[in-house]
Amino acid sequence: MDSKRIVYMDHAATTYVKPEVLEAMLPYFTEQFGNPSSVYTLGRKSRSAIEEAREKVAKAIGALPEEIYFTGGGSEADNWAIKGAAFANRAKGNHIITSKIEHHAILNTCEFLEKQGFEVTYVSVDENGVIDLEELKNSITDKTILISIMFANNEIGTIQPIEEIGRIAKERGIIFHTDAVQAIGNVEINVKDMNIDMLSLAAHKFYGPKGVGALYVRKGIRIENLIHGGGQERKRRGGTENLPGIVGLGKAIELATADIEGHNARIRALRDRLLNGILEKIPYTKLNGHPEKRLPGNINVSFKFIEGEGLLLLLDQSGIYGSTGSACSSGSLDPSHVLLAIGLPHEIAHGSLRLSLGDKNTEEDVDYVLDVLPKIVQRLRDMSPLYENFIKGGR
Amino acid sequence: MDSKRIVYMDHAATTYVKPEVLEAMLPYFTEQFGNPSSVYTLGRKSRSAIEEAREKVAKAIGALPEEIYFTGGGSEADNWAIKGAAFANRAKGNHIITSKIEHHAILNTCEFLEKQGFEVTYVSVDENGVIDLEELKNSITDKTILISIMFANNEIGTIQPIEEIGRIAKERGIIFHTDAVQAIGNVEINVKDMNIDMLSLAAHKFYGPKGVGALYVRKGIRIENLIHGGGQERKRRGGTENLPGIVGLGKAIELATADIEGHNARIRALRDRLLNGILEKIPYTKLNGHPEKRLPGNINVSFKFIEGEGLLLLLDQSGIYGSTGSACSSGSLDPSHVLLAIGLPHEIAHGSLRLSLGDKNTEEDVDYVLDVLPKIVQRLRDMSPLYENFIKGGR
Amino acid sequence: MYSDKVMDHFMNPRNVGEIENADGIGEVGNPKCGDIMRIYLDVEDNIIKDVKFKTFGCGAAIASSSMATELIKGKTLEEAWRLTNKAVAEALGGLPAIKMHCSVLAEGAIHKAINDYRIKHGLEPWKDDKNYDDDHHDIGE
Amino acid sequence: MYSDKVMDHFMNPRNVGEIENADGIGEVGNPKCGDIMRIYLDVEDNIIKDVKFKTFGCGAAIASSSMATELIKGKTLEEAWRLTNKAVAEALGGLPAIKMHCSVLAEGAIHKAINDYRIKHGLEPWKDDKNYDDDHHDIGE
Ligand SMILES: Cc1ncc(COP(=O)(O)O)c(C=O)c1O
Ligand SMILES: Cc1ncc(COP(=O)(O)O)c(C=O)c1O
């Protein structure tokens, strides 16, 4: 290690659990551990704790408590929403609309459903990552049973026009699901005003624990179960409840949505300072995602001529933690499908860096990154044959 | 509350988390919280922690680490095994064999698959809850792709002849899954020796955390994903890993399988003392489940003339926590499908009590229950019109 | 799950027991479903002088029996007949949706006991439009 | 993920740079796939006197370039030709399965640079049976 300073800027990947959240969880591991389905006191206390958490989640998104179902994470919520709506509405139609930039929890679920006889349209996005609403409208058919468009993108941070999509879906009587895993705590959400029928979220993106999430399902919407089993979650999601996890989710969403505006103002100021510094200090750099309609903590930039994994490793050596859309870091062949969908050429997509800021980041962190990052980019460029070509006037 | 003493005897429903397990988990909430998929140091440490836990699980059941996949609990593991094998082998056949006494995570999954065009045979059990091996063999057809039989029953504790079932399945080239959620820590398990192809387990049944489990899938067995998504768990189970949960599962299974024999001897002695006391002190009482081939901590008895929910509530007032197979406590119409499957009449099934002992139970606990329980049973009988009929010589 | 009132009537049930040579006895329910309620009436001048019950069933069934017997004690048979299951449930501070059928049982047992009395006294039984022994519980939600 | 050797060669890569008027230059890879490796050779009396590289690619690609150039420095062209990707990976203390193609790139770049030298010197290029610019990485497991 070159340095003692640690700057965590990968909050979009996962966050630490806030001390208040962990504290709220602790009694439920060892003392108040009763099975919430049990009739005795210990079980009833667990049941109350879960219902309290359910109310908190409901309040945070403008839903009713009985519309909230707890899951084992964001991916389970996404899988459940999509497969659940598909299997329950097969008689009505077999067509699903989603976008090209969804999380793999949505995309791979859709791919599975295609194998089961469903048809899926993947709507395009513009160069800023905003969904093409005309294309969305035009792709609706009589057989369309579900539209699933993410609230905010995890890589480039672009926020979608969810209200408008909600309106379109409502007009046509189509179920509308949104993956809000990245949006919670960063955007004001009201599922009723926005005509959202289903919404996925995951605690570990807003300082809650990993392995727990929730799916909001509007009253009256029927979906097939994903995890069949006991009578938990009003018979819609089997499995002994993750009691401490659910309590943690409740506490975390309460904290995360208590003052979204204040949180955003602070994070956005830091983010802009960092972003402007990067664009100023490092030439041949491009911002990915929408310049304004983006998550407050999200930076996604492409540095020409270099590849992202090496960048991450060198940043790591300086105690800076970020992420990249380069294929090389994930073991797949292609770079991020999101970066390709907004039109980046492969080699530019490979040189992308995502820094996602969070509650503990400071101005000193920003200044430190602004000191370290330009040197690292230059170091990699000095090793790069593409940069050599460019400097020598070729390309 | 009549009493200060608390006697928890519902370990089959869920257990508290052992202090050593919680301690092992704690750093992973707030400090070592990095996303295991990340390339930087913090992520790599998370990755190592997960792989270490995977090795512990593998060791506990005689599998290879790469055969273990972490899930969000026992129900998810069960759903995944059954649906995964069904969807992946549809081309080979559409017939599944299971038993009448499986957990609802299996039974309701099978019901879902029946709606999807699969055929399911539910094999009977004898009066002790042991699977009918002849019926099992006879129900195998050319189209049989999967046999799923639980290792030990959660209600009556009966342990199945898993090795023999494994042999039958192997001979016929059929995938064999076992729900070992209740068996881990109570029975020596070796998936290779026993010819088990898939095995489900859940941490919260052996002093680990709720909301995390695992599915063992023998190398070479192909199953469809249940939770599609990112590349986690070698692309077979999407979703950011429940890092503290997985670490807790690893620690818990290590502790639970370190000395199964010693643990069993202790628990069985306590259990037998309690069971014999109950049978001696309370007339018109029947033991459910196999007298010998049963989980060491399991007692399941039926008290004639009374109903279980009231029993639980009165026990609760005395600080004793148990469970019942009565429908009244679960909100369903029928009493436990397991008790009906072993041939109990409805009214006897309604009067059942399960007490499942665990590591912290003592002889004093047993004596306390033996003091309290007979009085409670008598009190309810004194209120019961069925008992009145019986005493008056009717019925 | 249960209100304090329910727990109180379950823990300390009023009017448990039987009445020897009761004027009217009514029993409803079904051991298959896990609940049987039997009510004994002691009637004098059309007034319920005493009432006792025996119940095989869950906490709510016992509490409903206790409350229902309390509510009809000292009442005329006509008043007792008009006691609805809703009134029993309300008096208990509410019952969980899946337990509402317990209050229905209480209503039914009282009706049967009253008609038993009427028949024994050569009176026309009053008409009841529900079948209280039905296997199918009325489950809400 | 990476061995200490890989990290060392990534963090402190040997032989980075270019050679002006190099005797042989070889480049393989494809920016689409996220890796390009270019190797410069300075050859004297059939011996590799000096070697430099420039690489666009992940940590393993840079480490493989560094290690491969170290391994052929001072060697005859025949010896350098015989350097396999396996030898490079082994010298690095192993590479993750999904990164093995990086060592293949190094082997390929060296082969190309040697043949560039041979062609420039009017010699028949040695035959190579692999196509190192292929889009399709060889992914293990
Ligand atoms: C035999 C059996 N299988 C499956 C399960 C489901 O496990 P979980 O509740 O952790 O999802 C349980 C416990 O509830 C069980 O006892
Ligand atoms: C937009 C989005 N959807 C879904 C997920 C999946 O959530 P989880 O990893 O908690 O299953 C994530 C995060 O990984 C995400 O960013």
Side-chain angles (χ1 to χ4, degrees):
Chain A
M1 300 270 156
D2 300 334
S3 151
K4 290 269 128 111
R5 187 180 261 279
I6 295 289
V7 176
Y8 185 76
M9 288 196 178
D10 203 14
H11 294 82
T14 196
T15 58
Y16 56 90
V17 174
K18 282 203 175 159
E20 306 96 289
V21 172
L22 181 58
E23 208 178 295
M25 294 168 67
L26 282 180
Y28 296 93
F29 289 106
T30 45
E31 308 285 322
Q32 302 296 337
F33 65 93
N35 194 318
S37 302
S38 305
V39 300
Y40 43 73
T41 314
L42 194 65
R44 289 204 304 273
K45 282 190 189 160
S46 301
R47 163 74 37 228
S48 312
I50 286 181
E51 297 316 322
E52 209 177 291
R54 201 186 305 282
E55 278 165 32
K56 287 178 181 169
V57 174
K59 186 160 169 250
I61 61 169
L64 301 170
E66 61 266 36
E67 295 175 324
I68 305 299
Y69 300 89
F70 293 111
T71 69
S75 297
E76 185 193 322
D78 280 346
N79 273 257
W80 185 14
I82 306 294
K83 289 180 207 169
F87 282 121
N89 292 286
R90 208 168 199 162
K92 278 196 217 149
N94 72 338
H95 182 231
I96 295 166
I97 300 174
T98 185
S99 86
K100 288 199 162 75
I101 63 163
E102 298 297 313
H103 190 270
H104 280 111
I106 299 287
L107 292 178
N108 291 351
T109 298
C110 287
E111 208 179 272
F112 165 74
L113 287 175
E114 287 183 283
K115 283 193 282 172
Q116 305 300 319
F118 289 87
E119 273 172 38
V120 184
T121 301
Y122 302 89
V123 174
S124 309
V125 295
D126 68 14
E127 72 279 9
N128 290 326
V130 179
I131 211 93
D132 185 331
L133 287 178
E134 280 312 304
E135 195 183 323
L136 174 74
K137 275 188 226 164
N138 292 335
S139 58
I140 295 175
T141 76
D142 289 353
K143 299 221 172 280
T144 308
I145 51 176
L146 176 69
I147 296 174
S148 178
I149 302 290
M150 70 201 314
F151 212 116
N153 185 268
N154 45 311
E155 295 188 32
I156 57 174
T158 301
I159 297 170
Q160 300 298 335
I162 290 299
E163 280 196 70
E164 294 178 48
I165 301 169
R167 215 172 299 128
I168 294 168
K170 193 183 177 187
E171 269 166 25
R172 306 290 301 255
I174 298 164
I175 299 174
F176 173 41
H177 167 256
T178 188
D179 173 346
V181 168
Q182 292 287 337
I184 299 289
N186 294 314
V187 192
E188 297 281 359
I189 298 180
N190 184 301
V191 291
K192 304 294 163 190
D193 295 348
M194 293 172 163
N195 289 312
I196 297 168
D197 295 314
M198 295 195 281
L199 178 147
S200 310
L201 57 89
H204 73 101
K205 305 288 189 183
F206 46 86
Y207 310 99
K210 295 174 175 60
V212 60
L215 182 66
Y216 147 80
V217 184
R218 182 195 291 280
K219 246 182 150 163
I221 301 277
R222 276 294 312 146
I223 63 174
E224 174 68 57
N225 290 2
L226 177 71
I227 304 202
H228 296 88
Q232 295 91 350
E233 297 297 284
R234 284 146 289 142
K235 305 204 171 133
R236 290 172 82 165
R237 198 271 189 183
T240 303
E241 296 89 339
N242 178 355
L243 179 61
I246 288 170
V247 169
L249 168 53
K251 184 73 186 171
I253 204 166
E254 181 176 60
L255 295 175
T257 54
D259 176 23
I260 293 181
E261 235 174 85
H263 161 268
N264 281 8
R266 206 189 78 79
I267 299 283
R268 200 182 289 119
L270 276 184
R271 192 267 316 270
D272 288 346
R273 179 186 171 114
L274 177 55
L275 177 58
N276 293 334
I278 289 173
L279 294 174
E280 211 167 87
K281 290 190 165 193
I282 308 177
Y284 320 119
T285 299
K286 176 191 175 321
L287 174 67
N288 299 315
H290 199 285
E292 287 101 39
K293 285 180 223 148
R294 70 187 301 135
L295 291 171
N298 175 286
I299 288 177
N300 190 308
V301 284
S302 286
F303 303 111
K304 274 180 116 171
F305 318 122
I306 66 171
E307 189 276 334
E309 193 214 68
L311 187 60
L312 289 193
L313 290 173
L314 288 173
L315 284 170
D316 182 17
Q317 294 293 322
S318 296
I320 300 170
Y321 300 148
S323 100
T324 178
S326 173
C328 291
S329 93
S330 72
S332 74
L333 290 176
D334 283 319
S336 149
H337 65 290
V338 176
L339 298 179
L340 296 181
I342 59 171
L344 290 200
H346 276 68
E347 61 270 33
I348 308 288
H350 277 295
S352 77
L353 174 69
R354 178 185 72 185
L355 296 173
S356 43
L357 282 69
D359 279 4
K360 274 202 241 171
N361 288 136
T362 60
E363 296 207 346
E364 290 72 50
D365 288 347
V366 166
D367 294 343
Y368 178 67
V369 175
L370 285 175
D371 178 39
V372 170
L373 181 60
K375 294 176 199 156
I376 288 178
V377 171
Q378 194 52 47
R379 180 169 162 184
L380 287 169
R381 282 181 175 166
D382 286 343
M383 276 196 238
S384 167
L386 299 175
Y387 188 62
E388 186 184 314
N389 294 350
F390 174 77
I391 292 298
K392 289 186 175 159
R395 193 230 103 103
Chain B
M1 300 270 156
D2 301 335
S3 150
K4 290 269 126 110
R5 187 180 261 277
I6 295 290
V7 176
Y8 185 77
M9 288 198 178
D10 203 14
H11 295 83
T14 196
T15 58
Y16 57 90
V17 174
K18 282 204 173 156
E20 308 95 290
V21 172
L22 181 58
E23 208 179 298
M25 295 168 68
L26 281 179
Y28 295 92
F29 289 106
T30 46
E31 309 283 322
Q32 301 297 337
F33 65 92
N35 193 316
S37 302
S38 304
V39 299
Y40 44 74
T41 315
L42 195 65
R44 290 204 304 274
K45 282 189 189 160
S46 302
R47 163 74 36 228
S48 314
I50 286 180
E51 297 317 320
E52 210 177 289
R54 201 185 306 282
E55 277 165 32
K56 287 179 181 167
V57 174
K59 187 162 168 250
I61 61 169
L64 302 170
E66 61 264 35
E67 294 176 325
I68 305 301
Y69 300 89
F70 293 112
T71 69
S75 297
E76 185 192 322
D78 280 346
N79 273 257
W80 185 15
I82 306 295
K83 290 180 206 168
F87 283 121
N89 291 287
R90 206 167 199 166
K92 277 196 217 150
N94 71 338
H95 182 232
I96 295 167
I97 300 173
T98 184
S99 87
K100 287 198 164 72
I101 62 163
E102 298 297 313
H103 190 269
H104 280 112
I106 298 287
L107 292 178
N108 291 352
T109 298
C110 286
E111 208 179 274
F112 165 75
L113 287 174
E114 288 182 283
K115 284 192 283 173
Q116 305 299 319
F118 289 88
E119 273 172 39
V120 184
T121 301
Y122 301 89
V123 174
S124 310
V125 295
D126 67 14
E127 71 280 8
N128 290 326
V130 178
I131 210 91
D132 184 330
L133 286 179
E134 280 312 303
E135 194 182 324
L136 174 75
K137 273 189 226 162
N138 293 336
S139 57
I140 294 175
T141 76
D142 289 352
K143 300 224 171 281
T144 308
I145 51 178
L146 175 70
I147 295 173
S148 178
I149 302 289
M150 70 200 315
F151 212 115
N153 185 267
N154 42 310
E155 294 187 33
I156 57 174
T158 300
I159 297 169
Q160 302 298 336
I162 290 297
E163 279 196 71
E164 293 177 50
I165 301 170
R167 214 174 297 127
I168 295 168
K170 194 184 177 185
E171 269 167 22
R172 305 290 300 255
I174 298 165
I175 300 175
F176 173 41
H177 167 256
T178 188
D179 173 346
V181 167
Q182 292 287 339
I184 300 290
N186 294 316
V187 192
E188 297 280 359
I189 299 180
N190 185 302
V191 291
K192 305 294 163 193
D193 295 350
M194 294 173 163
N195 289 312
I196 297 168
D197 295 315
M198 295 195 281
L199 178 146
S200 309
L201 57 90
H204 73 101
K205 304 289 189 184
F206 46 85
Y207 310 97
K210 295 173 175 61
V212 59
L215 182 66
Y216 147 80
V217 184
R218 183 194 290 280
K219 246 181 151 165
I221 301 277
R222 275 294 311 146
I223 62 173
E224 175 66 73
N225 289 3
L226 177 71
I227 303 203
H228 296 87
Q232 294 91 350
E233 298 297 287
R234 283 146 290 141
K235 306 204 169 131
R236 290 173 84 167
R237 198 269 188 183
T240 302
E241 296 88 339
N242 179 355
L243 180 60
I246 289 170
V247 168
L249 168 54
K251 184 72 187 172
I253 205 166
E254 183 177 59
L255 295 175
T257 54
D259 176 23
I260 293 180
E261 234 173 87
H263 161 267
N264 282 9
R266 205 188 79 80
I267 299 284
R268 199 181 290 118
L270 275 184
R271 192 267 317 267
D272 288 346
R273 179 185 171 113
L274 177 55
L275 177 59
N276 294 335
I278 289 172
L279 295 175
E280 212 166 88
K281 291 190 165 195
I282 308 178
Y284 319 120
T285 299
K286 175 191 177 318
L287 174 67
N288 300 315
H290 198 285
E292 287 102 39
K293 286 181 221 147
R294 71 187 298 132
L295 291 172
N298 176 286
I299 288 177
N300 189 310
V301 284
S302 286
F303 302 112
K304 272 179 120 172
F305 317 121
I306 65 171
E307 189 277 336
E309 194 215 67
L311 188 59
L312 290 193
L313 290 173
L314 288 174
L315 285 170
D316 180 18
Q317 294 293 324
S318 297
I320 299 170
Y321 301 148
S323 101
T324 178
S326 172
C328 292
S329 96
S330 72
S332 73
L333 290 176
D334 283 320
S336 151
H337 65 289
V338 176
L339 298 180
L340 297 182
I342 60 172
L344 290 201
H346 275 69
E347 61 270 33
I348 309 287
H350 277 294
S352 76
L353 173 70
R354 179 186 71 185
L355 295 174
S356 43
L357 281 69
D359 279 4
K360 275 202 241 172
N361 288 136
T362 60
E363 297 206 345
E364 289 72 47
D365 290 346
V366 166
D367 293 342
Y368 177 67
V369 174
L370 285 176
D371 178 38
V372 170
L373 180 59
K375 294 177 201 156
I376 289 178
V377 170
Q378 194 52 48
R379 179 170 164 182
L380 287 169
R381 283 182 173 163
D382 285 343
M383 276 194 243
S384 168
L386 299 176
Y387 188 62
E388 187 183 314
N389 295 348
F390 174 77
I391 292 299
K392 291 189 174 156
R395 217 198 107 88
Chain C
M1 182 173 67
Y2 289 136
S3 68
D4 291 347
K5 267 270 180 53
V6 173
M7 284 308 288
D8 175 37
H9 276 263
F10 167 67
M11 292 300 297
N12 312 295
R14 284 58 145 178
N15 311 311
V16 175
E18 47 190 306
I19 299 178
E20 306 254 341
N21 306 316
D23 297 314
I25 301 181
E27 181 176 310
V28 290
N30 186 323
K32 270 193 76 173
C33 298
D35 32 35
I36 295 178
M37 206 177 279
R38 182 184 295 165
I39 285 191
Y40 301 85
L41 297 180
D42 196 352
V43 181
E44 217 168 279
D45 295 336
N46 202 44
I47 303 274
I48 297 173
K49 293 282 288 185
D50 197 11
V51 51
K52 297 273 183 206
F53 79 88
K54 287 239 169 152
T55 292
F56 162 80
C58 63
I62 289 169
S64 294
S65 314
S66 167
M67 178 56 83
T69 50
E70 279 289 275
L71 288 172
I72 63 170
K73 204 192 265 183
K75 296 284 159 63
T76 65
L77 290 179
E78 286 76 9
E79 285 168 335
W81 183 271
R82 286 198 297 268
L83 179 74
T84 63
N85 80 297
K86 282 219 176 103
V88 175
E90 263 163 37
L92 285 168
L95 281 174
I98 56 165
K99 297 293 190 181
M100 278 307 286
H101 70 274
C102 296
S103 61
V104 177
L105 284 180
E107 180 190 313
I110 292 170
H111 283 198
K112 279 212 172 168
I114 290 173
N115 274 339
D116 181 50
Y117 167 85
R118 290 183 61 86
I119 289 166
K120 279 183 186 154
H121 286 71
L123 300 167
E124 178 93 347
W126 287 330
K127 265 195 72 123
D128 216 334
D129 43 6
K130 295 187 204 158
N131 173 6
Y132 296 100
D133 297 320
D134 204 344
D135 264 28
H136 302 288
H137 295 176
D138 225 303
I139 291 190
E141 224 267 327
Chain D
M1 181 174 65
Y2 289 136
S3 70
D4 290 346
K5 267 268 177 57
V6 172
M7 283 308 288
D8 175 37
H9 276 262
F10 166 68
M11 291 301 296
N12 313 295
R14 284 56 143 181
N15 311 312
V16 177
E18 48 189 307
I19 299 176
E20 304 254 341
N21 305 315
D23 296 316
I25 302 181
E27 181 176 310
V28 290
N30 187 322
K32 271 193 73 169
C33 299
D35 34 35
I36 295 177
M37 206 178 279
R38 183 184 293 165
I39 285 190
Y40 301 86
L41 296 180
D42 194 355
V43 182
E44 217 168 279
D45 295 335
N46 203 42
I47 302 277
I48 296 172
K49 291 283 289 185
D50 198 10
V51 49
K52 296 276 183 204
F53 80 88
K54 287 240 167 149
T55 290
F56 163 82
C58 63
I62 289 169
S64 294
S65 314
S66 168
M67 179 55 86
T69 52
E70 280 289 277
L71 288 172
I72 63 170
K73 205 194 265 187
K75 297 283 159 63
T76 66
L77 290 180
E78 287 76 7
E79 284 168 337
W81 183 271
R82 285 197 297 270
L83 179 73
T84 63
N85 79 298
K86 283 220 176 102
V88 174
E90 265 164 36
L92 285 169
L95 281 174
I98 56 162
K99 297 292 188 182
M100 278 306 288
H101 71 274
C102 296
S103 62
V104 177
L105 284 179
E107 179 189 313
I110 292 168
H111 283 198
K112 279 212 172 168
I114 290 173
N115 273 341
D116 180 52
Y117 167 86
R118 291 184 59 84
I119 290 166
K120 277 182 185 155
H121 287 72
L123 298 166
E124 178 91 352
W126 287 331
K127 266 195 71 129
D128 216 336
D129 45 7
K130 293 188 206 158
N131 172 9
Y132 296 101
D133 297 320
D134 206 343
D135 265 27
H136 304 286
H137 295 175
D138 226 301
I139 290 189
E141 225 264 329

